[in-house]
Amino acid sequence: MRNATDTHTSNCYHCGDKCVDELVVFDERNFCCNGCKSVYELLKSCEMESYYKYAETPGIKKLKSTPKSAFAYLDNQSIVEQLVSFSSPDVQKITFRLPAIHCASCIWLIEHFHKLVDGVLSSRVNFIKREASFTYNPQVLSLRTLVEQLATIGYEPDLKFDQTQRKSGHKVRRTLIYQIGVAGFCFGNIMLLSFPEYLGDSLSLDGNYRAFFGYMNFSLALPVLFFSAKDYLLSAWRAVVHRKINMDVPISMGILALFLRSTFEIFVESGGGYMDSLAALVFFLLIGKWIQQKSYDSLSFERDYKSYFPISVQRIEGDEESAVGIEEVEVGDRINIRSGELIPFDGALVSGDARIDYSFVTGESSPVRIAKGEKVFAGGRQTGSMISLEVEKKVNQSYLTSLWNESEGESEKGDLETFADRVGEKFTWAIVAIASTAALFWLIVNPSIALNALSAVLIVACPCALALSFPFAFGNANRLMGRKGLYLKNGKALGAMSEITDIVFDKTGTLTRKGQVDIDYIGRDLTQREVDMIQNITSQSGHPLSRYISAHLKASSKVSFEDFIEFSGKGIEATYEGDTYQIGSATFVGHDEEVNRDGKSRVYIAVNGDVLGVFTVAKSYHENLSESINSLKDGYNLYLVSGDNDNERQKMTELFGNSENLFFNKLPHEKEEIVESLGKDGKNVAMIGDGLNDAAALKAAHFGISVADDVFRFSPASDAILSSDSFPRIHQFFAYARSVKRLVQWSFVFSFLYNGIGLVFAVSGNLTPVVAAILMPVSSITVVGFVTIGSRFLFSKYFNEKSVNAKTDKYQFVD
């Protein structure tokens, strides 16, 4: 290794800066400072040199080092509690804003941070928001050390203590309003001072006045360039520095071309320049940006949990409990959480045997035992008997949203979005090439047109409309489907839904509807004590059959069980005063499986190994189920995978039409295996289940829908939640998703046609930069209007109330 103080023109291998003041050579690579060299050494020692494969010179140069004492306040435990979103003895979770994240290598490095720092369990990056979520072991790594390690490699977190108090929603930035105001003011005054130029020879003007007006125009153009247009210029500069190209590059080239040409004319040729065109260009660009931002706001992309999650809780009021929306629960309220239900609040355990599964938060599925009075965190799922909590913190919308979005592969984009990004970058390169060719051509043929042609091409062909079509179409469609009872977690979920080729259905709780059941009991007479035990056990379970039986029986007293375990897909085992109660399938309670041909579900009851009897439950299916399934047959391969026995095989064969696609007596892990096997065959599989026993299969599917038989069943394992009452519309939802995808494809065609026509006029020199600046936001607004109005039109087509109950209604599916 050597240091050199001589001027050197090589670039730093890590950050890409010129090695001017200092040159550090290590491992036959050049670095601009010891800081960059140290980060490289650290990455190499951890075998993480792949960081440099995702982009050239992806690193960040640290202009100044942050003293370690700057983070001493993070040793204060009360401050740590304010910052972390989840805390347990072995796991803490926190989200930082990392402004330095700028490329794919940054994402790769942060998401592999566990290889660099002991104690980091996992990390995920939200590139759009420049945020990263870390899960770490506080026994091994303190929060202060975590922050210091991030700062060491150039990703110092932007810590804000008021972040949990911020209101969501996209408010128009005040700076943007100021930028528009400055550009508009300067545009108007430059036009006024340019009147002599507009009138030409018809107005005799002294040369000194002409020069004075030119200098005034130049002065008014400076704030337009350095304030109003700064966001475009800075964005383009960052892209060029990192050897990338974005949509702001051609815009900035047009702005700079106008400014430099006008400056030359004003100071060298004593002309008027084109500062009016420059100010008009920036003004109309900002107006378009403002309109786009307002359009995003009106679509409410960051929907609140009231429209996003059909979730409520049972609030205790005296001796009674009532279902209330989670937004109505206040700090200090007491709520009941049953087995299998998600905990939406931070609170303290008041009563019950709390066995909390925090797998949605930490990835660890082993239940955590919580003692009375101890803290329970939002995001956990109760796996034991019913518990009571006292709410300590109101629901955090962003936290629940993050739970739903934290699944493997979530960072992968859908086909349409990836296509838009890929085409947008290549298209921008093509535009730069066309603009350069046009400028060279006109410099030879007619130099007076060259500047206009260059600027017009760079501006009019900007592929902004292409980038807007996907989020606006899918965002609006998400919102509209939510009105009909299907809640998708994001635009990617709708994209996945539109790509489905095969659909797998669960039976109980999915094809069947809530209520409307006939329950009979066969066996020896039950004592009141046994009735009380059965009712108390089933009331604490979330399984549909348990809920039916619980509602059917009337208990004389409430019971707190010594032990309570629910085995997914099998049954429940509870202990009270030395007696062990088992409620579930025949095999679960040790009874021989009976041949069943009456189409009823059976739930067996056993005490201390002795079978007392069986409850038979005759479920009713959703209205117009056969019409919904028949409509789906036209565009999808359909499967039934059920944990029930095959007593209804004949009925299901008539419904689905293919007995080979019907699977019965399947445990949760077997359902998952079937879904995975279909996916390995190259099929895009949708799983539709109840969200409890089908959680593994929902996660394994390309697109998972959790059917909410009641409002308490929220499953982060799914991509969407479907209200049980909306199940008869399932064929309409899938048809609408495919049509919206087709709509976005047409918007791509429309965008390309617009750019092609605009390019013809721009290259020929018949399109001025000002007109191009007006047309660019107009094109974006037009595409946004096209996909928004189009998605509404398709929605009204598929969800016309007259056709919902029409027996003969058919929907055409478009591949």
Side-chain angles (χ1 to χ4, degrees):
M1 183 184 76
R2 67 182 175 86
N3 291 334
T5 57
D6 58 312
T7 302
H8 203 287
T9 58
S10 63
N11 291 334
C12 177
Y13 180 73
H14 178 69
C15 72
D17 283 1
K18 295 288 186 182
C19 300
V20 178
D21 299 324
E22 183 180 14
L23 173 65
V24 180
V25 179
F26 176 78
D27 203 16
E28 298 182 352
R29 292 181 170 89
N30 296 328
F31 300 92
C32 65
C33 64
N34 281 299
C36 288
K37 188 267 296 184
S38 299
V39 175
Y40 169 79
E41 281 186 286
L42 177 63
L43 294 174
K44 184 179 180 182
S45 66
C46 296
E47 299 182 352
M48 295 178 64
E49 291 180 277
S50 297
Y51 170 64
Y52 298 98
K53 294 181 180 179
Y54 290 89
E56 295 183 24
T57 62
I60 299 159
K61 181 181 175 111
K62 292 191 65 181
L63 299 179
K64 62 178 182 178
S65 61
T66 303
K68 289 191 175 182
S69 59
F71 304 112
Y73 64 90
L74 294 177
D75 289 331
N76 187 318
Q77 191 59 33
S78 63
I79 293 178
V80 173
E81 291 178 358
Q82 294 180 51
L83 291 172
V84 298
S85 58
F86 174 84
S87 180
S88 69
D90 299 322
V91 176
Q92 283 187 341
K93 189 163 185 171
I94 189 170
T95 299
F96 296 123
R97 184 175 181 274
L98 304 179
I101 295 176
H102 66 278
C103 67
S105 288
C106 296
I107 298 173
W108 184 90
L109 178 60
I110 297 302
E111 294 196 343
H112 289 78
F113 202 60
H114 60 279
K115 294 184 178 180
L116 283 175
V117 180
D118 290 337
V120 175
L121 304 177
S122 65
S123 52
R124 296 184 65 84
V125 173
N126 184 326
F127 183 71
I128 300 299
K129 294 183 177 180
R130 300 295 194 272
E131 291 180 348
S133 298
F134 292 87
T135 303
Y136 63 97
N137 187 341
Q139 304 289 346
V140 179
L141 179 70
S142 68
L143 179 59
R144 175 181 176 179
T145 304
L146 173 62
V147 172
E148 289 174 348
Q149 291 296 327
L150 285 169
T152 298
I153 62 172
Y155 296 94
E156 182 176 331
D158 181 16
L159 295 173
K160 302 289 185 183
F161 289 97
D162 61 342
Q163 57 192 11
T164 59
Q165 304 298 326
R166 297 176 188 167
K167 293 183 178 179
S168 63
H170 297 275
K171 294 184 177 179
V172 178
R173 291 185 298 122
R174 188 173 298 178
T175 302
L176 177 59
I177 300 298
Y178 292 156
Q179 289 173 325
I180 293 173
V182 169
F185 172 81
C186 294
F187 172 40
N189 282 278
I190 292 174
M191 286 187 64
L192 182 64
L193 294 171
S194 300
F195 253 88
E197 297 294 330
Y198 300 151
L199 298 176
D201 296 335
S202 62
L203 179 63
S204 176
L205 189 66
D206 183 84
N208 291 329
Y209 283 107
R210 186 182 298 272
F212 174 74
F213 288 153
Y215 298 150
M216 290 293 294
N217 286 344
F218 175 80
S219 300
L220 288 169
L222 290 177
V224 175
L225 179 69
F226 293 108
F227 177 68
S228 296
K230 70 174 183 178
D231 291 339
Y232 296 104
L233 298 176
L234 288 175
S235 175
W237 171 252
R238 294 190 191 101
V240 172
V241 166
H242 294 288
R243 293 174 173 81
K244 295 286 184 180
I245 196 102
N246 60 21
M247 296 177 187
D248 292 330
V249 171
I251 295 176
S252 298
M253 290 177 65
I255 291 172
L256 292 175
L258 275 173
F259 179 78
L260 294 175
R261 172 62 187 273
S262 300
T263 302
F264 176 81
E265 286 199 7
I266 291 171
F267 287 96
V268 177
E269 299 181 351
S270 299
Y274 304 94
M275 295 303 186
D276 52 345
S277 297
L278 170 65
L281 167 61
V282 175
F283 177 70
F284 287 117
L285 285 173
L286 293 173
I287 288 292
K289 186 177 182 179
W290 176 78
I291 292 174
Q292 290 169 12
Q293 198 171 99
K294 292 293 289 182
S295 298
Y296 271 107
D297 292 344
S298 66
L299 288 180
S300 299
F301 277 64
E302 295 257 349
R303 293 167 290 176
D304 64 17
Y305 51 83
K306 288 181 289 185
S307 62
Y308 224 135
F309 305 120
I311 181 173
S312 298
V313 294
Q314 294 284 353
R315 183 169 61 188
I316 304 172
E317 299 174 349
D319 295 332
E320 303 293 329
E321 65 175 11
S322 59
V324 296
I326 56 175
E327 75 280 0
E328 298 177 28
V329 177
E330 301 292 339
V331 174
D333 286 352
R334 292 193 176 188
I335 60 173
N336 283 336
I337 302 293
R338 290 177 169 79
S339 177
E341 291 182 356
L342 188 82
I343 301 170
F345 308 96
D346 288 351
L349 181 65
V350 176
S351 63
D353 180 19
R355 300 180 183 183
I356 311 299
D357 175 6
Y358 282 120
S359 59
F360 292 125
V361 183
T362 66
E364 294 292 332
S365 58
S366 300
V368 177
R369 297 295 291 264
I370 305 294
K372 182 177 179 180
E374 290 185 345
K375 190 168 185 177
V376 178
F377 288 91
R381 187 183 293 278
Q382 167 64 350
T383 60
S385 58
M386 184 175 67
I387 59 175
S388 296
L389 303 178
E390 182 174 317
V391 176
E392 293 184 344
K393 186 187 295 184
K394 293 200 66 172
V395 65
N396 186 324
Q397 170 197 349
S398 60
Y399 183 62
L400 287 181
T401 305
S402 69
L403 289 181
W404 205 9
N405 279 282
E406 284 185 1
S407 57
E408 293 183 10
E410 183 60 32
S411 59
E412 299 179 4
K413 294 183 178 181
D415 290 346
L416 284 176
E417 194 173 10
T418 303
F419 172 78
D421 291 342
R422 186 171 61 249
V423 171
E425 182 175 348
K426 293 181 178 179
F427 187 71
T428 304
W429 275 114
I431 294 308
V432 173
I434 293 172
S436 302
T437 304
L440 290 174
F441 172 80
W442 285 112
L443 279 174
I444 298 172
V445 176
N446 187 351
S448 64
I449 300 179
L451 178 60
N452 279 348
L454 171 67
S455 304
V457 170
L458 291 174
I459 297 165
V460 77
C462 178
C464 299
L466 186 69
L468 290 173
S469 58
F470 173 86
F472 271 89
F474 279 21
N476 194 45
N478 277 12
R479 183 170 61 90
L480 293 173
M481 286 199 288
R483 294 178 179 178
K484 295 297 182 181
L486 179 65
Y487 303 85
L488 292 97
K489 63 181 178 181
N490 51 34
K492 297 184 185 69
L494 180 58
M497 185 178 183
S498 67
E499 299 162 0
I500 293 303
T501 59
D502 297 60
I503 302 177
V504 177
F505 291 90
D506 177 44
K507 184 162 75 77
T508 302
T510 302
L511 300 182
T512 59
R513 60 178 179 175
K514 60 183 179 180
Q516 305 294 322
V517 296
D518 293 324
I519 299 179
D520 292 314
Y521 173 75
I522 303 172
R524 74 164 177 79
D525 292 338
L526 299 174
T527 65
Q528 184 59 51
R529 172 188 167 88
E530 290 167 342
V531 171
D532 289 345
M533 294 299 106
I534 296 170
Q535 198 281 333
N536 276 273
I537 292 172
T538 53
S539 68
Q540 300 184 51
S541 168
H543 194 281
L545 292 177
S546 295
R547 303 299 285 268
Y548 297 147
I549 295 173
S550 173
H552 177 72
L553 299 176
K554 295 188 182 298
S556 60
S557 62
K558 292 187 178 296
V559 176
S560 296
F561 294 97
E562 299 158 10
D563 197 17
F564 185 103
I565 303 176
E566 183 165 3
F567 299 89
S568 180
K570 298 177 181 179
I572 309 168
E573 184 174 284
T575 303
Y576 181 72
E577 293 184 351
D579 292 327
T580 299
Y581 295 82
Q582 291 178 305
I583 301 177
S585 65
T587 54
F588 179 71
V589 301
H591 191 273
D592 294 334
E593 190 72 44
E594 298 179 5
V595 178
N596 187 354
R597 303 188 185 281
D598 59 8
K600 297 179 181 179
S601 296
R602 283 168 163 72
V603 179
Y604 290 83
I605 311 296
V607 180
N608 297 325
D610 296 329
V611 177
L612 305 184
V614 58
F615 284 95
T616 62
V617 182
K619 303 178 292 293
S620 62
Y621 289 88
H622 286 289
E623 186 179 0
N624 299 328
L625 177 62
S626 61
E627 285 75 20
S628 298
I629 297 298
N630 287 333
S631 295
L632 289 171
K633 288 178 184 177
D634 295 336
Y636 303 92
N637 299 314
L638 304 183
Y639 299 83
L640 176 71
V641 181
S642 175
D644 292 345
N645 55 44
D646 63 351
N647 59 74
E648 292 189 290
R649 176 179 290 275
Q650 183 59 39
K651 182 175 182 178
M652 293 296 103
T653 301
E654 295 174 359
L655 181 62
F656 285 86
N658 186 350
S659 61
E660 295 181 358
N661 290 355
L662 306 181
F663 301 90
F664 297 93
N665 297 305
K666 297 300 179 184
L667 296 174
H669 73 276
E670 292 175 318
K671 294 181 181 181
E672 179 186 14
E673 292 170 357
I674 291 173
V675 171
E676 287 179 340
S677 66
L678 291 174
K680 290 178 182 178
D681 293 336
K683 299 175 180 178
N684 291 329
V685 183
M687 174 67 196
I688 305 177
D690 63 16
L692 181 61
N693 297 326
D694 303 321
L698 288 169
K699 190 172 184 179
H702 184 68
F703 177 71
I705 300 179
S706 174
V707 178
D709 196 41
D710 56 45
V711 294
F712 313 109
R713 314 310 306 171
F714 165 61
S715 175
S718 64
D719 299 293
I721 300 173
L722 176 66
S723 171
S724 179
D725 294 335
S726 298
F727 186 88
R729 303 179 185 272
I730 189 68
H731 55 299
Q732 296 167 289
F733 288 123
F734 276 99
Y736 179 59
R738 281 190 171 182
S739 295
V740 171
K741 177 182 178 180
R742 186 74 175 268
L743 177 71
V744 173
Q745 292 171 336
W746 275 109
S747 73
F748 289 173
V749 174
F750 178 81
S751 180
F752 283 126
L753 286 176
Y754 165 81
N755 284 306
I757 296 172
L759 279 174
V760 171
F761 287 96
V763 170
S764 64
N766 295 319
L767 190 65
T768 65
V770 175
V771 176
I774 297 173
L775 290 178
M776 194 189 76
V778 168
S779 71
S780 299
I781 295 167
T782 303
V783 168
V784 169
F786 172 72
V787 296
T788 302
I789 295 173
S791 59
R792 283 182 175 274
F793 170 78
L794 292 171
F795 183 79
S796 63
K797 171 187 173 183
Y798 288 112
F799 294 92
N800 186 336
E801 295 301 328
K802 293 181 180 179
S803 66
V804 170
N805 296 317
K807 304 267 183 188
T808 60
D809 191 29
K810 294 288 183 180
Y811 294 89
Q812 298 298 319
F813 294 94
V814 182
D815 293 325

